[in-house]
Amino acid sequence: MWGRGALLGTRTPSLAWGRGWSAAAPCSAPAESSRVRALIYGHHGDPAKVVELKNLELAAVGGSDVHVKMLAAPINPSDINMIQGNYGLLPKLPAVGGNEGVGQVVAVGGSVTGVKPGDWVIPANAGLGDWVIQNASNSGVGQAVIQIAAALGLRTINVVRDRPDLQELTDRLKSLGAEHVLTEEELRKHEMKNFFKDMPQPRLALNCVGGKSSTELLRHLAPGGTMVTYGGMAKQPVIASVSQLIFKDLKLRGFWLSQWKKDHSPAQFKELILTLCGLIGRGQLTAPACSEVPLQDYERALEASMQPFVSSKQILTMC
């Protein structure tokens, strides 16, 4: 395996990431190293010309991370096709190629229980990761989803309303890690069928709008997928067809942070916050654009927060 994917080990399967054409330590025994060797290609073309052996710095392990030293990995025809750029599914560049192989766990984060150092593991699925589709992608939550997904190796399809500064917004969201940015109108076009021919359909949809927007998210979900609704900006109901529920086995559920806190212990909430702080500390999660407004100017802040196409969060300052 030269890519990344879920790993199956000698113990309970655990979600982890490994790189196939790479080596983090000698093959004789598991050992942690901050440096790894990897065969990487930054653009598509002749594999013999575009693939390079590079030394990379390995990020520190923590939380749910698993570091895997690949022991052996085959070069399959599909791997060659990916490097050439003519395969149906292509990883984001630069990429470490491959989707098969055997590796050995060298280190695990504190919350990992499925595998331990020394376990041998194999990829459980292809290394392209899953896709997430969401609306209201320019909101504070939407921007956080883009960054957290990127940190987890997931790719995002981000839907926004059409606006005058669309290109500027698209560039900003992509700088955060967004793979695709589409307007509501583009998502409704018949041509979107061709769009999803070149990638797996998303298995998770995050809905903050409702109405027609949520209907479109459901239409593009993979069979067995789930849509989580955490807001209703359009003030319109979520409508799912009978065929989507029966024949595609789509699942609808809601999320309310206040209820989540009630259902989980303070220790679990603390763990969540520390996980997010870890992402912030590593530069993988940043706050959305903010406008600081003195408390006495609250009317101006309230008016600004209700304006359309405003991505800046209004922050009332008390001193």
Side-chain angles (χ1 to χ4, degrees):
M1 163 189 158
W2 333 336
R4 302 189 299 177
L7 301 175
L8 288 180
T10 56
R11 308 175 75 198
T12 304
S14 173
L15 283 178
W17 302 109
R19 296 181 181 273
W21 278 6
S22 62
C27 292
S28 57
E32 179 74 321
S33 172
S34 63
R35 301 288 293 176
V36 297
R37 292 177 300 143
L39 288 173
I40 295 178
Y41 59 101
H43 58 276
H44 299 295
D46 182 350
K49 296 180 180 179
V50 300
V51 175
E52 299 178 273
L53 180 61
K54 293 187 176 182
N55 292 314
L56 304 177
E57 189 70 25
L58 190 64
V61 68
S64 60
D65 296 336
V66 176
H67 283 180
V68 175
K69 173 187 62 180
M70 298 304 296
L71 303 178
I75 302 176
N76 296 320
S78 59
D79 303 326
I80 297 298
N81 294 153
M82 283 186 177
I83 298 174
Q84 294 170 332
N86 54 21
Y87 195 68
L89 302 174
L90 299 175
K92 185 177 181 179
L93 301 179
V96 180
N99 290 293
E100 295 183 358
V102 61
Q104 191 171 25
V105 176
V106 296
V108 299
S111 61
V112 176
T113 59
V115 292
K116 68 180 188 303
D119 285 349
W120 283 31
V121 293
I122 61 173
N125 55 36
L128 298 179
D130 287 326
W131 288 83
V132 178
I133 188 170
Q134 65 167 344
N135 53 25
S137 303
N138 61 306
S139 67
V141 172
Q143 294 179 52
V145 167
I146 291 171
Q147 297 175 81
I148 294 172
L152 295 175
L154 305 175
R155 297 180 170 193
T156 53
I157 300 171
N158 301 277
V159 184
V160 298
R161 290 181 294 173
D162 199 3
R163 63 194 64 212
D165 62 341
L166 179 61
Q167 188 58 55
E168 180 183 343
L169 174 62
T170 297
D171 294 341
R172 181 154 54 84
L173 295 183
K174 287 193 172 183
S175 72
L176 296 177
E179 186 76 14
H180 296 286
V181 179
L182 306 171
T183 65
E184 299 274 3
E185 291 74 18
E186 287 175 324
L187 194 65
R188 296 189 184 105
K189 290 182 178 179
H190 180 74
E191 290 79 7
M192 286 305 297
K193 288 186 177 180
N194 295 325
F195 178 84
F196 284 104
K197 283 183 179 179
D198 297 326
M199 66 181 70
Q201 286 185 297
R203 296 171 58 188
L204 174 65
L206 300 176
N207 169 45
C208 180
V209 179
K212 293 181 179 179
S213 178
S214 59
T215 300
E216 289 302 316
L217 296 188
L218 284 172
R219 190 161 69 90
H220 296 294
L221 267 184
T226 300
M227 184 172 77
V228 178
T229 295
Y230 66 95
M233 294 168 56
K235 298 181 181 179
Q236 296 175 351
V238 172
I239 300 176
S241 68
V242 172
S243 63
Q244 289 174 327
L245 298 177
I246 294 178
F247 302 115
K248 289 188 68 176
D249 190 28
L250 299 186
K251 301 170 182 63
L252 307 180
R253 63 162 300 164
F255 176 80
W256 185 29
L257 182 59
S258 297
Q259 187 62 49
W260 187 94
K261 290 180 180 178
K262 292 179 182 178
D263 296 337
H264 294 76
S265 68
Q268 290 173 307
F269 182 59
K270 180 180 178 181
E271 181 182 1
L272 170 63
I273 296 300
L274 291 177
T275 298
L276 296 177
C277 288
L279 294 176
I280 294 172
R282 294 193 293 271
Q284 296 175 303
L285 178 61
T286 59
C290 298
S291 297
E292 296 185 5
V293 181
L295 183 64
Q296 62 269 23
D297 295 333
Y298 68 93
E299 291 179 336
R300 174 163 60 91
L302 290 173
E303 290 176 0
S305 67
M306 293 185 288
Q307 295 300 313
F309 310 130
V310 174
S311 299
S312 180
K313 182 73 67 175
Q314 302 298 304
I315 307 294
L316 293 173
T317 56
M318 313 302 179
C319 57

